[in-house]
Amino acid sequence: MVTLAPHAAELVAAAGGSHALAGVIRGTDHPTVAHQLPQVGDAWHIDRERLVQLKPDLIVAWLPDAVAPLRPLLEQLSIPVFVSAPTRAMQIPDQIEALGKLLGTETEARRQASRWRADWQALVDSTPSSPAVTVFLEVGRHPLYTLNRDDIANDVVQACGGKNVFADLPVVAPQVSLEAVLAAQPDIIVAAAAPGGDTAAAVRQFWQPLAPVLPAARDPVLIDPDTLFRPGPRLIEGAQQVCAALRGWHAANRTGPG
């Protein structure tokens, strides 16, 4: 297999197919074996010659626009394409099982998918029933971007008992003004930044001066974007962190079980 998206390699690995990975695109950092594999370009520009040299039995793609130019070549070489574009959290275990069938690793894939569903249900079951914690999802600061209900991260917020303050905007990844965020007064800011390092410091530097008018800005919740915005099996890790943050908010505000 050659995967044309980082999350696709993660799904293949979860399905028991790490051994079948022959090539990946730049930015693929999981599973560990991906660091030693040939790269066939990036999400938008695929090296056709390199791809053909790898002689894959299957391509696992994500963006239709990126794979469309390859279709004639892949049809000529009789290389099928599995499109993996989960937009809902529960599609992740479904795709693990589907890839397991293609790999002949159904037993491992079913095991991993079942564990994923159980972990997700455990999060839902541990969520305080009310009230909903309002959440601002920050995916970029210059300019300021967020996500609406059609992104997989919104499923995480809902599963954790939260309400995305910009869920109803018509664009999946809309640009919003700082004034709009201040007007929404979210209880929690979830920011795309792995804790520690320059990005985390930049997030805090941006938000903390606003704490007098937006209490959530005092301590934004930092989540590795690869575990929250990448539609792969590690979404459960980001979800666990978001749920922990929302439970902490409930405990601090004495609105639900801690």
Side-chain angles (χ1 to χ4, degrees):
M1 289 187 176
V2 170
T3 54
L4 303 185
H7 83 274
E10 296 188 28
L11 287 169
V12 169
S18 294
H19 67 281
L21 286 170
V24 297
I25 63 164
R26 282 190 289 275
T28 304
D29 52 9
H30 193 81
T32 304
V33 68
H35 296 282
Q36 285 80 48
L37 293 174
Q39 296 181 349
V40 295
D42 58 34
W44 294 103
H45 301 93
I46 305 301
D47 185 334
R48 298 184 181 206
E49 183 176 347
R50 185 67 161 161
L51 181 64
V52 171
Q53 288 174 347
L54 294 176
K55 300 179 179 179
D57 299 305
L58 179 70
I59 301 291
V60 185
W62 173 43
L63 297 171
D65 290 345
V67 76
L70 299 173
R71 290 282 186 178
L73 173 64
L74 298 178
E75 289 174 2
Q76 179 184 349
L77 298 174
S78 299
I79 302 174
V81 177
F82 179 95
V83 176
S84 170
T87 57
R88 301 270 69 94
M90 293 310 294
Q91 292 173 348
I92 290 173
D94 293 345
Q95 294 217 333
I96 291 173
E97 290 176 330
L99 285 165
K101 290 180 180 179
L102 294 172
L103 285 158
T105 56
E106 292 98 328
T107 300
E108 176 64 11
R110 282 196 298 269
R111 187 178 72 84
Q112 293 293 340
S114 295
R115 186 172 73 174
W116 203 98
R117 293 187 182 103
D119 288 345
W120 184 267
Q121 189 60 47
L123 289 178
V124 173
D125 291 343
S126 66
T127 295
S129 57
S130 64
V133 181
T134 54
V135 177
F136 172 61
L137 290 168
E138 183 238 277
V139 295
R141 290 173 303 287
H142 304 291
L144 199 59
Y145 276 92
T146 189
L147 297 165
N148 77 356
R149 68 172 69 253
D150 294 323
D151 187 87
I152 204 165
N154 189 75
D155 279 13
V156 172
V157 172
Q158 289 186 321
C160 295
K163 175 178 171 53
N164 175 2
V165 294
F166 292 114
D168 294 333
L169 291 183
V171 180
V172 175
Q175 182 178 337
V176 295
S177 67
L178 188 56
E179 290 76 14
V181 178
L182 293 175
Q185 282 291 305
D187 297 317
I188 288 180
I189 296 169
V190 174
D198 295 340
T199 303
V203 170
R204 293 191 179 95
Q205 185 177 18
F206 179 86
W207 288 109
Q208 287 178 347
L210 299 171
V213 291
L214 180 62
R218 185 173 296 109
D219 189 21
V221 178
L222 307 180
I223 306 289
D224 183 343
D226 290 347
T227 67
L228 184 58
F229 306 123
R230 184 181 288 183
R234 288 191 297 156
L235 182 77
I236 199 72
E237 298 175 19
Q240 288 166 342
Q241 294 178 61
V242 172
C243 286
L246 269 62
R247 287 196 300 270
W249 186 92
H250 274 285
N253 289 274
R254 299 180 181 178
T255 58

